[in-house]
Amino acid sequence: MAPAPEDGEPSAGQAAPAATTPPGRPPVSGAVAPGGRMPRWLPRAMVLALALIAAFQLGSWAFHQLTGLLINILIAFFLALAIEPAVSRMAARGMRRGLATFLVFLGLTVFAAGFVTLLGSMLAGQIIKMIEGFPDYLDSLIHWINQTFHTDLRRVDVQEGLLHSDWLRKYVQNSAAGVLDVSAQVLGGLFQLLTVALFSFYFAADGPRLRRALCSVLPPARQAEVLRAWEIAVDKTGGYLYSRGLMALISGIAHYILLEALAVPYAPVLGVWVGLVSQFIPTIGTYLAGALPMLIAFTVNPWYALWVLIFVVIYQQFENYMLQPKLTAKTVDVHPAVAFGSVVAGTALLGAVGALIAIPAVATLQAFLGAYVKRYAVTDDPRVHGRRGSGSDGPGMLTRVRRSWAGRRSGGEQRP
């Protein structure tokens, strides 16, 4: 009789169990699903990525299309900040803010329209005068050429050559074709000016409502900071325009006196032109404004143009080193190097608009951040004042060299 099999051992009549594979692990998240199917998260991720790319492209396209409108709104905001003190002062006396804003804008419009009308009439008169005197100028030029180069030119021949020249015909054709472009640019400029005026009016008239709407979405601590920044912006922008307006008045009076002494026509209008352009176009405004008085003075006497140029250069130095630091110390208080850098940066970013608003924007930012910068007392070190005198570091280099040289000479004299 065969012995019974021990427990755990298969009997002879029983087949051994087939080898079984260990149970597989569950698929790791991110791996390909069984059967080569796409994971469930991949379609959603692709749709989300495409939606983000489309939103970015749409936002970029909309931003580029609305760049002009955003720049106009920025100009309108700074203009509203500039007239805010006058509007607030009139509103504090019982006048409605809308009426006060309208009166301020009416005054600015009347002044601008009168200035442009006087300037246009002056330019038209001078152009007519130059056209009427062109034959005399041409005769004097031909006479000088004939005497200098021993030629035999006549004015009739020169005029016929100019009238029948190809370049004059092409110039007339191009000018006629460009009339429509100039008209479109003028209409576009008028539309932009109207846009800026409307937004400025709304910003100034509804200033308190705008501040309340902005503060309503912020916590109380942030509301105080926003209102403080708003007040700083109003003070700095108004102070900048006040100081520039005062310097424009002084510059206009000074140039008016010079032009009146030289008997240059339209001296009052030219004085206003120089004052406004020289102060509200930074850095090169004085030289750009002096070009027109020089041209008008040249029609009277060529030497008068030289006198105007000399006066413009001298007055620019007087303004930079004497007048401007005293007038802007309490209003803007921006270092000249910082002001120049801000104008360059603003011009690179926004062109002429950036050059105009760069200084008040930097002054506002500087005043706002100045309250959060902790300052310490400066040590009384000569190097702080730009001197390298004797201090804790011992004598200076020149003193040490002299002492060393004196010691060598005394040592050499003591040798036998």
Side-chain angles (χ1 to χ4, degrees):
M1 183 174 179
E6 297 180 358
D7 295 338
E9 294 182 2
S11 60
Q14 296 177 350
T20 58
T21 57
R25 298 179 180 178
V28 183
S29 176
V32 180
R37 290 183 301 175
M38 184 183 298
R40 294 180 178 178
W41 58 268
L42 187 57
R44 293 194 297 267
M46 294 176 63
V47 171
L48 180 60
L50 293 176
L52 291 177
I53 294 174
F56 176 78
Q57 294 293 335
L58 181 61
S60 178
W61 173 81
F63 178 77
H64 285 88
Q65 294 295 323
L66 297 176
T67 300
L69 178 61
L70 296 177
I71 292 176
N72 292 334
I73 292 176
L74 182 63
I75 300 173
F77 179 72
F78 272 93
L79 183 59
L81 292 179
I83 65 175
E84 176 69 21
V87 174
S88 299
R89 191 174 297 111
M90 296 171 68
R93 296 180 179 179
M95 187 179 297
R96 296 177 56 186
R97 286 188 64 91
L99 180 59
T101 306
F102 174 76
L103 293 178
V104 173
F105 268 91
L106 181 62
L108 293 176
T109 303
V110 170
F111 174 77
F115 174 70
V116 171
T117 302
L118 291 177
L119 185 63
S121 62
M122 178 197 68
L123 291 178
Q126 292 301 315
I127 291 174
I128 293 174
K129 183 178 179 181
M130 291 177 65
I131 292 175
E132 292 176 350
F134 180 76
D136 298 332
Y137 294 146
L138 186 59
D139 288 338
S140 62
L141 179 62
I142 291 174
H143 180 69
W144 178 80
I145 292 175
N146 290 334
Q147 285 186 346
T148 305
F149 299 100
H150 305 286
T151 57
D152 190 14
L153 296 176
R154 293 183 304 172
R155 188 180 70 182
V156 178
D157 298 335
V158 174
Q159 290 178 349
E160 290 182 355
L162 290 175
L163 292 176
H164 295 87
S165 60
D166 294 335
W167 69 269
L168 181 61
R169 188 181 301 108
K170 293 180 180 179
Y171 177 76
V172 172
Q173 292 176 356
N174 295 331
S175 300
V179 170
L180 295 177
D181 296 336
V182 173
S183 302
Q185 292 179 0
V186 171
L187 291 177
L190 292 177
F191 179 75
Q192 290 182 356
L193 183 62
L194 180 62
T195 303
V196 171
L198 288 177
F199 275 107
S200 300
F201 182 84
Y202 290 138
F203 285 153
D206 293 338
R209 186 184 304 176
L210 180 61
R211 285 190 288 268
R212 287 196 300 268
L214 183 61
C215 292
S216 63
V217 297
L218 297 174
R222 297 296 181 184
Q223 294 179 14
E225 297 298 329
V226 168
L227 294 176
R228 181 174 176 273
W230 194 292
E231 291 299 324
I232 291 176
V234 170
D235 293 339
K236 292 301 179 180
T237 306
Y240 172 74
L241 292 181
Y242 168 76
S243 60
R244 287 293 172 178
L246 187 58
M247 287 191 294
L249 178 63
I250 297 174
S251 176
I253 293 175
H255 288 84
Y256 163 74
I257 293 174
L258 172 68
L259 297 174
E260 190 69 26
L262 296 177
V264 177
Y266 301 99
V269 181
L270 290 176
V272 176
W273 162 266
V274 173
L276 293 179
V277 175
S278 62
Q279 300 306 320
F280 292 99
I281 297 181
T283 308
I284 62 172
T286 300
Y287 306 104
L288 183 63
L292 183 60
M294 288 175 56
L295 179 62
I296 305 300
F298 185 82
T299 60
V300 179
N301 191 334
W303 287 104
Y304 288 174
L306 180 60
W307 283 111
V308 173
L309 176 61
I310 294 174
F311 181 82
V312 167
V313 174
I314 294 176
Y315 183 82
Q316 177 69 16
Q317 304 306 316
F318 166 75
E319 181 182 282
N320 290 340
Y321 295 100
M322 298 292 295
L323 187 62
Q324 183 174 352
K326 294 182 179 180
L327 292 179
T328 60
K330 296 181 179 180
T331 56
V332 181
D333 194 17
V334 176
H335 193 272
V338 178
F340 179 74
S342 63
V343 169
V344 173
T347 305
L349 293 175
L350 300 176
V353 176
L356 289 175
I357 67 176
I359 295 179
V362 170
T364 301
L365 182 62
Q366 176 180 321
F368 183 72
L369 295 179
Y372 299 96
V373 177
K374 187 176 181 180
R375 299 182 180 273
Y376 301 91
V378 181
T379 180
D380 192 12
D381 194 302
R383 291 170 293 186
V384 175
H385 305 285
R387 300 190 301 268
R388 298 186 59 85
S390 59
S392 59
D393 295 338
M397 181 179 295
L398 184 60
T399 305
R400 293 197 298 268
V401 171
R402 289 178 179 176
R403 291 179 181 178
S404 177
W405 179 254
R408 290 180 181 179
R409 292 184 58 184
S410 61
E413 293 176 354
Q414 291 178 2
R415 291 179 181 178

